[in-house]
Amino acid sequence: MEKKTARLTLLIDPHKKRAFEQLCAAQDLTPSQVVRQLIRDYLRDHGVEYETRPDLAGRDATGRE
């Protein structure tokens, strides 16, 4: 079971990063929230199951229930 968070570092073109951050801000989401949702969707689409933190179950990409 997941006990804490882990950091994922990636390299991205600065122009794409700026556009991504602007889009996230326009949608009132943080880049981290969007990336976490993208990863969940990717895992689901490929049939990968994983354990989740029980205190976060039932929340959406924004962290709200």
Side-chain angles (χ1 to χ4, degrees):
M1 181 171 304
E2 224 176 291
K3 298 288 184 190
K4 58 184 175 179
T5 59
R7 183 174 305 271
L8 174 66
T9 303
L10 59 102
L11 299 176
I12 186 172
D13 173 80
H15 301 288
K16 286 183 188 123
K17 179 180 182 281
R18 186 169 35 257
F20 178 65
E21 290 172 335
Q22 290 172 348
L23 178 58
C24 290
Q27 296 177 334
D28 196 28
L29 296 168
T30 67
S32 290
Q33 289 171 317
V34 174
V35 170
R36 284 191 297 268
Q37 184 62 52
L38 290 167
I39 291 170
R40 284 191 298 270
D41 292 347
Y42 188 75
L43 291 170
R44 183 200 64 230
D45 292 349
H46 290 84
V48 176
E49 294 186 18
Y50 57 95
E51 292 185 23
T52 60
R53 290 172 51 178
D55 58 329
L56 296 180
R59 294 186 180 191
D60 64 15
T62 66
R64 294 182 284 240
E65 295 193 35

